[in-house]
Every structure is written in structure tokens, then in C-alpha cells.
Amino acid sequence: QVSVVESGGGSVQPGDSLKLSCLVTGRILRFNLKAWGWYRQAPGKDRELVAGINIGASTNYLDSVKGRFTIWRDDDKGLVYLQMNNLRPEDTAVYYCNENKPIRTIRHWGQGTQVTVSS
């Protein structure tokens, strides 16, 4: 079974930056053959894909984070990162890492990491 552990969240002010990390481990895992993504869920809202990175390292972003967030991967270490700059209050959510695929097909989630942006 694949396990993901997210870290790096915190409470910051608008305009600040955070770097999230996701460690993916598992006995049966082909990390470098999968697409990975960062998702978030704000209170009372559905979980959404924020950024995804594919096998060839192409990326896709939610429109509201384009130009502010950057996703990248380290296939040797099984890590996925999300650099978040110029954070806004509307970025406040619990951030999760998982395979980049339709949310309805994802069965297991990590504990996530809380990001709070407030003045």
C-alpha cells in the first residue's frame, strides 16, 4: 500500500511563502511512472486539484494559483514539492498530496498539512 506524508504547512500572512513537501513510500510503488498532484480542501468546500506534475514533468495548475505556485518532483527520493508564493487568504486549506487522477478514484489520503493565510 502506498503511503503519503505531507509537511510544511503553517500560519502565515498574506504575501508570504511556504514550501510543502510530500514523501511517498510503499512496497509496491512505481513513483517515477505516476503523475502526482497537490490538492486542497477548504472548510465547507470540495477538495480540488491545485497543481499536478506528470511523468514527463509537464505541469498543470488551478487558474487561481498560476504564477504563484510551483510543483516539482524528485523521482530518486519519492518526493513531491509545492512552492507557494504570494499567499492569499483564499489559499487557506488543508493541503494533500496524491496521484494526479480523478479525485473520485482516490481511495486513500494522507493526513494533509494545514495552511492558514491571515493578517
Side-chain angles (χ1 to χ4, degrees):
Q1 181 175 337
V2 174
S3 173
V4 295
V5 178
E6 303 94 343
S7 61
S11 294
V12 297
Q13 295 186 336
D16 286 350
S17 298
L18 283 174
K19 178 185 174 183
L20 306 184
S21 300
C22 170
L23 177 63
V24 182
T25 59
R27 189 167 65 89
I28 302 176
L29 177 66
R30 296 293 184 266
F31 181 89
N32 60 319
L33 298 182
K34 297 181 183 293
W36 297 95
W38 280 96
Y39 301 79
R40 69 185 180 189
Q41 186 165 22
K45 296 188 176 181
D46 293 334
R47 194 166 301 189
E48 61 184 354
L49 177 68
V50 176
I53 184 164
N54 302 309
I55 297 172
S58 62
T59 56
N60 53 283
Y61 296 93
L62 187 67
D63 283 347
S64 62
V65 309
K66 285 180 181 177
R68 300 188 298 122
F69 290 11
T70 303
I71 185 172
W72 72 101
R73 59 194 290 169
D74 185 334
D75 285 351
D76 292 335
K77 297 181 180 178
L79 288 162
V80 186
Y81 299 99
L82 185 69
Q83 177 67 42
M84 306 186 296
N85 297 330
N86 192 20
L87 283 161
R88 304 168 179 171
E90 54 264 38
D91 295 320
T92 295
V94 179
Y95 284 71
Y96 301 89
C97 171
N98 216 304
E99 287 190 60
N100 184 3
K101 62 182 184 179
I103 291 177
R104 67 182 183 279
T105 68
I106 298 175
R107 298 178 60 188
H108 302 287
W109 294 89
Q111 82 288 351
T113 185
Q114 176 71 49
V115 172
T116 302
V117 185
S118 174
S119 56

